[in-house]
Amino acid sequence: MCGIVGYVGKERCVEVLMQGLGHLEYRGYDSAGLALHEGSGIESIREVGRLENLGRTVAARNGHLSRLRAGIGHTRWATHGRPSQENAHPQVGGEGSVAVVHNGIIENFAELKEELLERGVRFGSETDTEVMAHLLAERIEGNPGEPLREALSGVLGRLEGSFAVAAVSAAEPGVVVAARHQSPLVVGLGNGENFLASAVQALLGETREFLVVENGEVVEVTDASVRIFTQDGEPVEREPFEVDWDAEAVELGIYEDFMMKEIHEQPEALRATLSGRLDAGGGVDLSEMGLDLSGIDRIVVVACGTALHAGLLGKGLIERLARVPVEVAVASEYRYSDPIGDENTLVVAISQSGETTDTLAAVGTARAFGGKVLAVTNTRGSLITREADAVLLTQAGPEICVASTKAFAAQVAVLDLLALNLARVKGTIGEDELLSLGRDLRRAPEKVAATLALLEGKIGDAVELFEDARCSLFLGRGPAFPAALEGALKLKEISYIPSEGYAAGEMKHGPIALVDEQCPVVAILGEGTLREKTLSNVEETAARGANVIAIAREDDPAAERVGRVVLSVPDAPEILRPLVWTVPLQLLAHDVATDRGLDVDKPRNLAKSVTVE
Ligand code: F6R
């Protein structure tokens, strides 16, 4: 939430900051701003709304701005104070001589603000960030000659909460400082120039070489140096890491939006995630985890949103194949629970970003009983990778659209691998069957690609059923139930149509009251014994006037019978079906939202990487 970029170096600061913010806009899009070293002062520019508004203001200023060499930028997801010009970042102190951009929440800001007001400081915004700007300005004024990084460290000692912050001061031209406490921050290394950002995506067009800034550290960036310090001022040696993501991965290419691009990248995300972990014969190798799973007798999955739905799919497979009980816990609830577990409990924390505050806190809670923590994340170097005992990276590439699609597919694939691995360790399944399941899993990229091809141009009739929709129900049983939950989440978050995912058999216990012509029912019919049961439930909704969209295997006569519209998917091995069913659900959500003229990549009120509680 909120994106930060910093730059020091050549006469291209504004260009780098604006480009970086463009790649981070998914983190927040209420307002945006820049603070630039200009001569002996700091020039601050802020605009409400999308980044393009800031771009227009910058372009109108023209001329001199394009030649500036150092500054910071911000794109905001409002926490304290509504989206407005006054509440946009940068927030300034010392009559504009100090500027600060911030991602996170300062929990004790009210006390600090009161203290500053008593000293006669005037506030121009409702933000928590502004206290930081004034405290920093006071500190600089009271300690002439103190380096900015030390002044920032001094101020940080007074703050409670979570934050990544970057600051500039007129007293130190050509210097940008930043610090991290719980919210993400990386340094990009260049030649005669250096960069800062909330995420590597911001800088892929500039560099592949990065340094992680750890919690509690302060970094000082100039054109020629990057120096990291502990909060006590001790210098820290840090090895850079290389990022192998392409710059094109953060560009739209032939697509109109990132959601559609990322839906179509699922075959590749699956291929890359399975690669090296599943051999041609179907054998699974997860030795990279370095975890001995033989003593594990219980699993707790902690996650939020879409990652939680991946966890529910993982639970089904792990329990079926490895006969190990799995609890799937909403991270924001689990963190305040009194969890049950011991050293034989494996805690699987799933997070695309690896920075979700609730998931990280849930991991901390699980630590209380001594469980082993396995992180499943898409982000190398993220906070969760450092909190966990072991890591399995999903290889989905950068996910830009706020609504998660390809990361979900990759998470499901990793949990499938984990289930197969655990079943082998536990000896609950014969070797032949395991290898056969592994070979099935290897076909995931091919089956998802075939699903995309089959559905090309076929969503329109289903979209029409949503034209007057007031709400919608997504139904499924067994593994189709988590898929239904995910379908409902996708639709509601980008189209704003209230949508509920329900276990089809549970529908008669309440939600069937919603059903009428304006409440389309999306039914994943599934296969096997549960299919007949699901069909009966769906018939019950059709009998009450529901327009049913059936997700079913190609040429399924029953689907034609119950569905006003059928979205066909290819026949697929059992282990791959949830991945295949999710594709039409993603496409449907996308097309319903675009049909309503909505921006699918940046749904209202949301932001990617939820780094506040
Ligand atoms: C929904 C979505 C969110 C995320 C959730 C967890 O499309 O993207 O529900 O899944 O915020 O995010 P991560 O996986 O980064 O922890």
Side-chain angles (χ1 to χ4, degrees), residues 155-175:
V155 168
L156 296 184
R158 306 223 40 215
L159 307 181
E160 287 162 21
S162 64
F163 46 80
V165 54
V168 285
S169 160
E172 272 187 56
V175 175

Side-chain angles (χ1 to χ4, degrees), residues 304-307 350-354 356 359 402-404 411 489-490 493 608 610:
C304 304
T306 287
I350 311 173
S351 174
Q352 186 283 130
S353 60
T356 300
T359 308
V402 167
S404 185
Q411 287 160 357
L489 176 60
K490 282 295 87 92
E493 71 180 321
K608 213 164 177 73
V610 184

Side-chain angles (χ1 to χ4, degrees), residues 263-278:
I263 290 172
H264 281 83
E265 284 173 346
Q266 290 181 106
E268 178 51 27
L270 287 164
R271 194 203 54 70
T273 299
L274 296 174
S275 164
R277 293 164 171 165
L278 193 53

Side-chain angles (χ1 to χ4, degrees), residues 19 26 64 153 207 213 218 251 265 273 295 310 313 363 370 406 415 509 521 556 594 604-605 610:
Q19 261 175 30
Y26 64 87
H64 71 289
S153 285
T207 180
V213 182
V218 175
E251 302 294 342
E265 284 173 346
T273 299
L313 285 169
V363 165
K406 63 175 179 171
L415 292 168
H509 301 283
V521 169
D556 179 339
T594 48
R604 72 182 177 206
N605 305 338
V610 184

Side-chain angles (χ1 to χ4, degrees), residues 204-220:
L204 290 179
E206 302 292 342
T207 180
R208 297 293 160 81
E209 218 183 341
F210 291 91
L211 294 174
V212 166
V213 182
E214 301 276 7
N215 273 338
E217 292 176 348
V218 175
V219 57
E220 179 194 74

Side-chain angles (χ1 to χ4, degrees), residues 303-314 328 408 412 482-483 485-487 489:
C304 304
T306 287
L308 188 83
H309 299 155
L312 287 168
L313 285 169
V328 181
F408 171 79
V412 172
L485 290 173
E486 177 56 10
L489 176 60

